mmCIF file of all heavy atoms in Angstrom:
data_model
loop_
_atom_site.group_PDB
_atom_site.id
_atom_site.type_symbol
_atom_site.label_atom_id
_atom_site.label_comp_id
_atom_site.label_asym_id
_atom_site.label_seq_id
_atom_site.Cartn_x
_atom_site.Cartn_y
_atom_site.Cartn_z
ATOM 1 N N LEU A 359 29.113 18.588 17.367
ATOM 2 C CA LEU A 359 28.145 18.444 18.391
ATOM 3 C C LEU A 359 28.743 18.553 19.894
ATOM 4 O O LEU A 359 27.962 18.640 20.817
ATOM 5 C CB LEU A 359 27.133 17.333 18.409
ATOM 6 C CG LEU A 359 26.220 17.211 17.195
ATOM 7 C CD1 LEU A 359 25.366 15.961 17.268
ATOM 8 C CD2 LEU A 359 25.323 18.444 17.066
ATOM 9 N N GLY A 360 30.035 18.439 19.959
ATOM 10 C CA GLY A 360 30.738 18.414 21.157
ATOM 11 C C GLY A 360 30.489 17.211 22.020
ATOM 12 O O GLY A 360 30.452 17.283 23.332
ATOM 13 N N LEU A 361 30.139 16.039 21.413
ATOM 14 C CA LEU A 361 29.878 14.841 22.163
ATOM 15 C C LEU A 361 31.092 14.217 22.778
ATOM 16 O O LEU A 361 32.226 14.338 22.126
ATOM 17 C CB LEU A 361 29.145 13.780 21.231
ATOM 18 C CG LEU A 361 27.877 14.143 20.630
ATOM 19 C CD1 LEU A 361 27.429 13.124 19.544
ATOM 20 C CD2 LEU A 361 26.875 14.396 21.680
ATOM 21 N N GLY A 362 30.945 13.701 24.084
ATOM 22 C CA GLY A 362 32.130 13.111 24.713
ATOM 23 C C GLY A 362 32.486 11.777 24.152
ATOM 24 O O GLY A 362 33.621 11.316 24.510
ATOM 25 N N SER A 363 31.679 11.074 23.477
ATOM 26 C CA SER A 363 31.915 9.783 23.005
ATOM 27 C C SER A 363 31.712 9.576 21.590
ATOM 28 O O SER A 363 30.702 9.957 20.972
ATOM 29 C CB SER A 363 30.964 8.782 23.785
ATOM 30 O OG SER A 363 30.991 7.635 23.263
ATOM 31 N N TYR A 364 32.725 8.950 21.015
ATOM 32 C CA TYR A 364 32.585 8.565 19.547
ATOM 33 C C TYR A 364 31.464 7.486 19.419
ATOM 34 O O TYR A 364 30.669 7.586 18.300
ATOM 35 C CB TYR A 364 33.836 8.046 18.995
ATOM 36 C CG TYR A 364 33.864 7.485 17.682
ATOM 37 C CD1 TYR A 364 34.082 8.271 16.493
ATOM 38 C CD2 TYR A 364 33.691 6.084 17.404
ATOM 39 C CE1 TYR A 364 33.970 7.769 15.178
ATOM 40 C CE2 TYR A 364 33.566 5.610 16.051
ATOM 41 C CZ TYR A 364 33.832 6.551 15.073
ATOM 42 O OH TYR A 364 33.633 5.967 13.696
ATOM 43 N N GLN A 365 31.298 6.633 20.298
ATOM 44 C CA GLN A 365 30.296 5.617 20.223
ATOM 45 C C GLN A 365 28.982 6.184 20.092
ATOM 46 O O GLN A 365 28.062 5.718 19.429
ATOM 47 C CB GLN A 365 30.464 4.708 21.374
ATOM 48 C CG GLN A 365 29.296 3.603 21.494
ATOM 49 C CD GLN A 365 29.471 2.731 22.769
ATOM 50 O OE1 GLN A 365 30.578 2.272 23.035
ATOM 51 N NE2 GLN A 365 28.396 2.517 23.454
ATOM 52 N N THR A 366 28.702 7.298 20.858
ATOM 53 C CA THR A 366 27.438 7.925 20.879
ATOM 54 C C THR A 366 27.080 8.566 19.576
ATOM 55 O O THR A 366 25.981 8.318 18.925
ATOM 56 C CB THR A 366 27.382 9.106 21.926
ATOM 57 O OG1 THR A 366 27.578 8.552 23.199
ATOM 58 C CG2 THR A 366 26.031 9.906 21.939
ATOM 59 N N ALA A 367 28.048 9.136 18.911
ATOM 60 C CA ALA A 367 27.836 9.702 17.571
ATOM 61 C C ALA A 367 27.578 8.681 16.543
ATOM 62 O O ALA A 367 26.813 8.755 15.676
ATOM 63 C CB ALA A 367 29.039 10.618 17.292
ATOM 64 N N TRP A 368 28.431 7.592 16.667
ATOM 65 C CA TRP A 368 28.341 6.429 15.711
ATOM 66 C C TRP A 368 26.935 5.817 15.688
ATOM 67 O O TRP A 368 26.293 5.555 14.689
ATOM 68 C CB TRP A 368 29.329 5.427 16.009
ATOM 69 C CG TRP A 368 29.595 4.341 15.022
ATOM 70 C CD1 TRP A 368 30.286 4.360 13.803
ATOM 71 C CD2 TRP A 368 28.990 3.034 15.110
ATOM 72 N NE1 TRP A 368 30.105 3.075 13.213
ATOM 73 C CE2 TRP A 368 29.371 2.322 14.059
ATOM 74 C CE3 TRP A 368 28.206 2.411 16.061
ATOM 75 C CZ2 TRP A 368 28.994 1.011 13.791
ATOM 76 C CZ3 TRP A 368 27.877 1.172 15.964
ATOM 77 C CH2 TRP A 368 28.236 0.409 14.757
ATOM 78 N N THR A 369 26.419 5.639 17.019
ATOM 79 C CA THR A 369 25.082 5.023 17.237
ATOM 80 C C THR A 369 23.960 5.973 16.630
ATOM 81 O O THR A 369 23.011 5.407 16.120
ATOM 82 C CB THR A 369 24.971 4.637 18.631
ATOM 83 O OG1 THR A 369 26.116 3.866 19.149
ATOM 84 C CG2 THR A 369 23.696 3.822 18.867
ATOM 85 N N MET A 370 24.048 7.216 16.917
ATOM 86 C CA MET A 370 23.096 8.129 16.507
ATOM 87 C C MET A 370 22.949 8.081 14.899
ATOM 88 O O MET A 370 21.854 8.075 14.390
ATOM 89 C CB MET A 370 23.434 9.608 16.833
ATOM 90 C CG MET A 370 23.250 9.813 18.359
ATOM 91 S SD MET A 370 23.944 11.479 18.833
ATOM 92 C CE MET A 370 22.616 12.547 18.195
ATOM 93 N N LEU A 371 24.145 8.030 14.206
ATOM 94 C CA LEU A 371 24.090 8.029 12.791
ATOM 95 C C LEU A 371 23.421 6.736 12.414
ATOM 96 O O LEU A 371 22.678 6.730 11.343
ATOM 97 C CB LEU A 371 25.549 8.078 12.243
ATOM 98 C CG LEU A 371 26.139 9.469 12.089
ATOM 99 C CD1 LEU A 371 27.678 9.392 11.686
ATOM 100 C CD2 LEU A 371 25.399 10.352 11.114
ATOM 101 N N HIS A 372 23.645 5.571 12.971
ATOM 102 C CA HIS A 372 23.169 4.358 12.624
ATOM 103 C C HIS A 372 21.693 4.303 12.881
ATOM 104 O O HIS A 372 20.902 3.600 12.066
ATOM 105 C CB HIS A 372 23.790 3.162 13.213
ATOM 106 C CG HIS A 372 25.003 2.742 12.414
ATOM 107 N ND1 HIS A 372 24.839 1.867 11.177
ATOM 108 C CD2 HIS A 372 26.320 2.941 12.550
ATOM 109 C CE1 HIS A 372 26.059 1.644 10.715
ATOM 110 N NE2 HIS A 372 26.997 2.192 11.469
ATOM 111 N N ARG A 373 21.282 4.951 13.987
ATOM 112 C CA ARG A 373 19.678 5.022 14.217
ATOM 113 C C ARG A 373 19.080 5.788 13.078
ATOM 114 O O ARG A 373 18.079 5.509 12.515
ATOM 115 C CB ARG A 373 19.559 5.593 15.600
ATOM 116 C CG ARG A 373 19.843 4.658 16.716
ATOM 117 C CD ARG A 373 19.316 5.289 18.000
ATOM 118 N NE ARG A 373 19.552 4.416 19.096
ATOM 119 C CZ ARG A 373 19.073 4.531 20.325
ATOM 120 N NH1 ARG A 373 18.387 5.682 20.631
ATOM 121 N NH2 ARG A 373 19.320 3.689 21.371
ATOM 122 N N PHE A 374 19.693 6.877 12.669
ATOM 123 C CA PHE A 374 19.063 7.812 11.626
ATOM 124 C C PHE A 374 19.073 6.915 10.329
ATOM 125 O O PHE A 374 18.117 7.075 9.493
ATOM 126 C CB PHE A 374 19.811 9.132 11.471
ATOM 127 C CG PHE A 374 19.404 10.079 12.435
ATOM 128 C CD1 PHE A 374 20.295 10.742 13.324
ATOM 129 C CD2 PHE A 374 18.037 10.514 12.461
ATOM 130 C CE1 PHE A 374 19.845 11.704 14.141
ATOM 131 C CE2 PHE A 374 17.520 11.487 13.278
ATOM 132 C CZ PHE A 374 18.518 12.003 14.235
ATOM 133 N N ARG A 375 20.169 6.196 10.053
ATOM 134 C CA ARG A 375 20.250 5.337 8.728
ATOM 135 C C ARG A 375 18.993 4.424 8.691
ATOM 136 O O ARG A 375 18.560 4.154 7.622
ATOM 137 C CB ARG A 375 21.536 4.659 8.634
ATOM 138 C CG ARG A 375 22.694 5.578 8.340
ATOM 139 C CD ARG A 375 23.946 4.850 8.190
ATOM 140 N NE ARG A 375 25.113 5.796 7.917
ATOM 141 C CZ ARG A 375 26.018 5.917 8.736
ATOM 142 N NH1 ARG A 375 26.159 5.150 9.859
ATOM 143 N NH2 ARG A 375 26.972 6.769 8.577
ATOM 144 N N ARG A 376 18.532 3.845 9.811
ATOM 145 C CA ARG A 376 17.411 3.034 9.776
ATOM 146 C C ARG A 376 16.186 3.705 9.572
ATOM 147 O O ARG A 376 15.042 3.014 9.295
ATOM 148 C CB ARG A 376 17.412 2.219 11.159
ATOM 149 C CG ARG A 376 18.468 1.030 11.141
ATOM 150 C CD ARG A 376 18.815 0.620 12.557
ATOM 151 N NE ARG A 376 19.639 -0.543 12.579
ATOM 152 C CZ ARG A 376 20.895 -0.563 12.253
ATOM 153 N NH1 ARG A 376 21.533 0.601 11.783
ATOM 154 N NH2 ARG A 376 21.544 -1.703 12.282
ATOM 155 N N ALA A 377 16.074 4.945 9.645
ATOM 156 C CA ALA A 377 14.947 5.757 9.301
ATOM 157 C C ALA A 377 14.926 6.406 7.895
ATOM 158 O O ALA A 377 14.100 7.187 7.574
ATOM 159 C CB ALA A 377 14.805 6.934 10.401
ATOM 160 N N MET A 378 15.829 6.033 7.170
ATOM 161 C CA MET A 378 16.083 6.597 5.779
ATOM 162 C C MET A 378 15.416 5.831 4.676
ATOM 163 O O MET A 378 15.400 6.234 3.567
ATOM 164 C CB MET A 378 17.487 6.724 5.506
ATOM 165 C CG MET A 378 18.222 7.860 6.314
ATOM 166 S SD MET A 378 19.895 8.014 5.859
ATOM 167 C CE MET A 378 20.362 9.404 6.822
ATOM 168 N N VAL A 379 14.688 4.745 5.020
ATOM 169 C CA VAL A 379 13.843 3.977 4.073
ATOM 170 C C VAL A 379 12.528 4.214 4.389
ATOM 171 O O VAL A 379 11.927 3.758 5.525
ATOM 172 C CB VAL A 379 14.144 2.513 4.150
ATOM 173 C CG1 VAL A 379 13.274 1.723 3.111
ATOM 174 C CG2 VAL A 379 15.661 2.300 3.792
ATOM 175 N N ARG A 380 11.706 4.854 3.571
ATOM 176 C CA ARG A 380 10.284 5.142 3.816
ATOM 177 C C ARG A 380 9.420 3.892 3.487
ATOM 178 O O ARG A 380 9.510 3.368 2.394
ATOM 179 C CB ARG A 380 9.832 6.183 2.921
ATOM 180 C CG ARG A 380 8.334 6.712 3.114
ATOM 181 C CD ARG A 380 8.074 7.994 2.313
ATOM 182 N NE ARG A 380 8.353 7.975 0.863
ATOM 183 C CZ ARG A 380 7.514 7.527 -0.049
ATOM 184 N NH1 ARG A 380 6.319 6.979 0.337
ATOM 185 N NH2 ARG A 380 7.886 7.491 -1.282
ATOM 186 N N PRO A 381 8.659 3.512 4.507
ATOM 187 C CA PRO A 381 7.714 2.362 4.238
ATOM 188 C C PRO A 381 6.789 2.655 3.009
ATOM 189 O O PRO A 381 6.213 3.809 2.880
ATOM 190 C CB PRO A 381 6.967 2.182 5.527
ATOM 191 C CG PRO A 381 7.858 3.001 6.491
ATOM 192 C CD PRO A 381 8.508 4.058 5.836
ATOM 193 N N GLY A 382 6.487 1.669 2.302
ATOM 194 C CA GLY A 382 5.600 1.853 1.219
ATOM 195 C C GLY A 382 6.028 2.680 -0.009
ATOM 196 O O GLY A 382 5.237 3.156 -0.754
ATOM 197 N N ARG A 383 7.352 2.792 -0.042
ATOM 198 C CA ARG A 383 7.857 3.647 -1.235
ATOM 199 C C ARG A 383 7.590 3.046 -2.557
ATOM 200 O O ARG A 383 7.482 1.818 -2.761
ATOM 201 C CB ARG A 383 9.392 3.951 -1.020
ATOM 202 C CG ARG A 383 10.275 2.676 -0.974
ATOM 203 C CD ARG A 383 11.687 2.992 -0.879
ATOM 204 N NE ARG A 383 12.623 1.797 -0.868
ATOM 205 C CZ ARG A 383 13.823 1.836 -0.668
ATOM 206 N NH1 ARG A 383 14.465 2.985 -0.455
ATOM 207 N NH2 ARG A 383 14.511 0.727 -0.814
ATOM 208 N N GLU A 384 7.476 3.952 -3.548
ATOM 209 C CA GLU A 384 7.059 3.470 -4.799
ATOM 210 C C GLU A 384 8.113 2.766 -5.640
ATOM 211 O O GLU A 384 9.316 3.030 -5.345
ATOM 212 C CB GLU A 384 6.575 4.715 -5.655
ATOM 213 C CG GLU A 384 5.386 5.514 -5.200
ATOM 214 C CD GLU A 384 5.744 6.512 -4.040
ATOM 215 O OE1 GLU A 384 7.034 6.561 -3.783
ATOM 216 O OE2 GLU A 384 4.852 7.085 -3.476
ATOM 217 N N CYS A 385 7.748 1.842 -6.466
ATOM 218 C CA CYS A 385 8.684 1.156 -7.307
ATOM 219 C C CYS A 385 9.186 1.990 -8.362
ATOM 220 O O CYS A 385 8.641 3.018 -8.783
ATOM 221 C CB CYS A 385 8.018 -0.145 -7.858
ATOM 222 S SG CYS A 385 7.562 -1.462 -6.713
ATOM 223 N N LEU A 386 10.314 1.696 -8.867
ATOM 224 C CA LEU A 386 10.861 2.301 -10.127
ATOM 225 C C LEU A 386 10.072 1.921 -11.304
ATOM 226 O O LEU A 386 9.514 0.825 -11.315
ATOM 227 C CB LEU A 386 12.428 1.997 -10.216
ATOM 228 C CG LEU A 386 13.334 2.075 -9.089
ATOM 229 C CD1 LEU A 386 14.715 1.710 -9.669
ATOM 230 C CD2 LEU A 386 13.285 3.519 -8.520
ATOM 231 N N LYS A 387 9.919 2.780 -12.193
ATOM 232 C CA LYS A 387 9.125 2.582 -13.436
ATOM 233 C C LYS A 387 9.650 3.195 -14.660
ATOM 234 O O LYS A 387 10.658 3.955 -14.498
ATOM 235 C CB LYS A 387 7.685 2.928 -13.100
ATOM 236 C CG LYS A 387 7.600 4.395 -12.826
ATOM 237 C CD LYS A 387 6.012 4.815 -12.556
ATOM 238 C CE LYS A 387 5.924 6.197 -12.061
ATOM 239 N NZ LYS A 387 4.510 6.616 -11.861
ATOM 240 N N GLY A 388 9.191 2.898 -15.768
ATOM 241 C CA GLY A 388 9.681 3.526 -17.008
ATOM 242 C C GLY A 388 10.806 2.716 -17.523
ATOM 243 O O GLY A 388 10.680 1.457 -17.566
ATOM 244 N N THR A 389 12.011 3.315 -17.763
ATOM 245 C CA THR A 389 13.182 2.592 -18.160
ATOM 246 C C THR A 389 14.130 2.535 -16.977
ATOM 247 O O THR A 389 14.442 3.490 -16.354
ATOM 248 C CB THR A 389 13.876 3.355 -19.338
ATOM 249 O OG1 THR A 389 12.978 3.522 -20.473
ATOM 250 C CG2 THR A 389 15.070 2.651 -19.752
ATOM 251 N N VAL A 390 14.398 1.283 -16.709
ATOM 252 C CA VAL A 390 15.277 0.999 -15.489
ATOM 253 C C VAL A 390 16.539 0.128 -15.896
ATOM 254 O O VAL A 390 16.424 -0.963 -16.578
ATOM 255 C CB VAL A 390 14.550 0.243 -14.404
ATOM 256 C CG1 VAL A 390 15.355 -0.032 -13.207
ATOM 257 C CG2 VAL A 390 13.234 0.952 -14.051
ATOM 258 N N GLU A 391 17.756 0.609 -15.576
ATOM 259 C CA GLU A 391 18.926 -0.146 -15.739
ATOM 260 C C GLU A 391 19.272 -0.896 -14.533
ATOM 261 O O GLU A 391 19.195 -0.502 -13.325
ATOM 262 C CB GLU A 391 20.184 0.801 -16.066
ATOM 263 C CG GLU A 391 19.951 1.618 -17.360
ATOM 264 C CD GLU A 391 21.206 2.559 -17.539
ATOM 265 O OE1 GLU A 391 22.247 2.468 -16.871
ATOM 266 O OE2 GLU A 391 21.080 3.277 -18.580
ATOM 267 N N ILE A 392 19.749 -2.101 -14.793
ATOM 268 C CA ILE A 392 20.205 -3.136 -13.713
ATOM 269 C C ILE A 392 21.653 -3.600 -14.003
ATOM 270 O O ILE A 392 21.911 -4.081 -15.071
ATOM 271 C CB ILE A 392 19.178 -4.391 -13.647
ATOM 272 C CG1 ILE A 392 17.631 -3.762 -13.453
ATOM 273 C CG2 ILE A 392 19.586 -5.156 -12.495
ATOM 274 C CD1 ILE A 392 17.440 -3.114 -12.183
ATOM 275 N N ASP A 393 22.462 -3.565 -12.922
ATOM 276 C CA ASP A 393 23.733 -4.199 -13.084
ATOM 277 C C ASP A 393 24.394 -4.354 -11.676
ATOM 278 O O ASP A 393 23.750 -3.868 -10.766
ATOM 279 C CB ASP A 393 24.562 -3.414 -13.964
ATOM 280 C CG ASP A 393 25.754 -4.128 -14.569
ATOM 281 O OD1 ASP A 393 25.862 -5.352 -14.322
ATOM 282 O OD2 ASP A 393 26.538 -3.541 -15.317
ATOM 283 N N GLN A 394 25.473 -5.103 -11.636
ATOM 284 C CA GLN A 394 26.065 -5.303 -10.360
ATOM 285 C C GLN A 394 27.421 -4.688 -10.352
ATOM 286 O O GLN A 394 28.048 -4.380 -11.414
ATOM 287 C CB GLN A 394 26.319 -6.808 -10.186
ATOM 288 C CG GLN A 394 25.020 -7.724 -9.907
ATOM 289 C CD GLN A 394 24.275 -7.981 -11.310
ATOM 290 O OE1 GLN A 394 25.089 -8.383 -12.337
ATOM 291 N NE2 GLN A 394 23.094 -7.798 -11.431
#
Side-chain angles (χ1 to χ4, degrees):
L359 294 179
L361 299 173
S363 168
Y364 174 86
Q365 177 181 313
T366 300
W368 187 85
T369 307
M370 290 175 72
L371 280 172
H372 271 285
R373 286 191 179 186
F374 276 123
R375 289 187 183 110
R376 280 155 174 74
M378 289 181 176
V379 176
R380 179 169 58 86
R383 59 184 182 179
E384 298 81 3
C385 292
L386 307 183
K387 58 185 178 180
T389 302
V390 181
E391 293 180 6
I392 306 288
D393 203 358
Q394 294 80 48

